[in-house]
Amino acid sequence: MRGAWVMRVSQALLHQDTFELMVEPAIADLQFEPSVTAYLAAWATVAGAWSHDLAGDARLVLDDIGMLGALIGIQASYYSGVLLLLVTGRNGKEAFQMIVRGDRPEIVIALTLIVVLSALPTLLCFWPPRRVREPLD
Amino acid sequence: MTDARLPTISGTESLILDLLEVRECFGLELVATSQGRLKRGSIYVMLGRMEVKGFVESRQEERAPGAIGLPRRLYRATAYGLKVRDAYQLLRDALALKPAEAR
């Protein structure tokens, strides 16, 4: 069937409603009037639909930025606290002052890494965000 | 004051509504009648966004039994889409006035 690859790739990449709204008509046109231009147009439509999905998903994630920040913060605080106490062997206040003074740059790097590693699983769990289509007026 | 967001409409969306106001069209027909202003690679993304906004609605074409391939989609403008287009046209006209003309 013409456009089978476009269909497979776009079904894997896109949300179902985006596929039906944007890509399916382009594939129908490709099957109705096959040409190189039609193939290029179908792939361009997939790219446009993908950017539409990414922008929509990013907006939804940003709407929940407070909750995501809290989840990342909880993980990062736990691991950072353990690291600081184990590596520096001091109490929390002294460890914090040591970081502020910049005595141990390797610890700052490790803490940055902890924040990144805490953010990744949280973002992966929430991506793509659940979408609810708003009713039209 | 209401929190509801005002609908926005681009120049290309206005053009699509102008073309769809006359009659129901396939995407390819819109590209052909736009005299190069609409592109085949972006028309369905645009129409999809407009459908989500409620500016256009679509239906699948009626086909003979046993026809092969996906059915094509026919688009038409909604009353809401035309109303938003007209409102924006009024706004554009009003903002295009020079201060002397506005008195």
Side-chain angles (χ1 to χ4, degrees), chain B residues 16-64:
Chain B
I16 291 173
L17 286 171
D18 289 344
L19 298 171
L20 288 177
E21 189 177 12
V22 184
R23 66 183 178 90
E24 211 174 25
C25 281
F26 291 111
L28 281 184
E29 288 178 312
L30 287 172
V31 174
T33 51
S34 73
Q35 296 167 331
R37 284 182 289 172
L38 298 173
K39 303 288 176 216
R40 199 171 167 168
S42 59
I43 184 72
Y44 289 113
V45 175
M46 191 71 73
L47 285 166
R49 282 184 186 149
M50 290 175 73
E51 197 162 348
V52 171
K53 288 179 177 179
F55 293 171
V56 298
E57 54 193 13
S58 68
R59 65 176 178 90
Q60 290 186 338
E61 65 174 337
E62 285 159 21
R63 289 160 28 113

Side-chain angles (χ1 to χ4, degrees), chain A residues 34-112:
Chain A
S35 66
V36 175
T37 316
Y39 269 102
L40 291 175
W43 283 113
T45 304
V46 173
W50 193 36
S51 73
H52 169 82
D53 261 1
L54 286 177
D57 289 348
R59 260 196 309 274
L60 286 176
V61 166
L62 283 176
D63 286 346
D64 288 333
I65 197 76
M67 182 196 60
L68 291 175
L71 287 173
I72 294 167
I74 290 167
Q75 294 177 71
S77 305
Y78 174 77
Y79 291 114
S80 304
V82 171
L83 175 84
L84 284 175
L85 294 177
L86 285 178
V87 173
T88 62
R90 302 175 195 189
N91 66 37
K93 190 179 171 188
E94 285 177 0
F96 179 74
Q97 285 169 345
M98 195 183 72
I99 293 169
V100 172
R101 282 198 307 270
D103 292 348
R104 302 272 300 269
E106 69 274 15
I107 293 184
V108 177
I109 293 168
L111 290 177
T112 309

Side-chain angles (χ1 to χ4, degrees), chain A residues 10-19 22-23 46-60 127-129 131, chain B residues 45 49:
Chain A
S10 50
Q11 278 178 327
L13 274 181
L14 305 172
H15 292 285
Q16 182 62 27
D17 56 342
T18 308
F19 171 76
M22 297 179 181
V23 180
V46 173
W50 193 36
S51 73
H52 169 82
D53 261 1
L54 286 177
D57 289 348
R59 260 196 309 274
L60 286 176
W127 192 278
R131 300 199 315 181
Chain B
V45 175
R49 282 184 186 149

Side-chain angles (χ1 to χ4, degrees), chain A residues 7 20-22 24-29 31-33 38 41 44-45 48-49 52 136, chain B residues 27-28 40-42 44-45 48-49 51-54 60 69-73 75 80:
Chain A
M7 197 179 288
E20 286 169 8
L21 268 179
M22 297 179 181
E24 225 175 43
I27 296 173
D29 277 352
Q31 292 170 345
F32 176 76
E33 198 181 278
T45 304
H52 169 82
L136 300 172
Chain B
L28 281 184
R40 199 171 167 168
S42 59
Y44 289 113
V45 175
R49 282 184 186 149
E51 197 162 348
V52 171
K53 288 179 177 179
Q60 290 186 338
L70 293 171
R72 293 198 297 157
R73 202 167 268 273
Y75 296 88
Y80 172 67

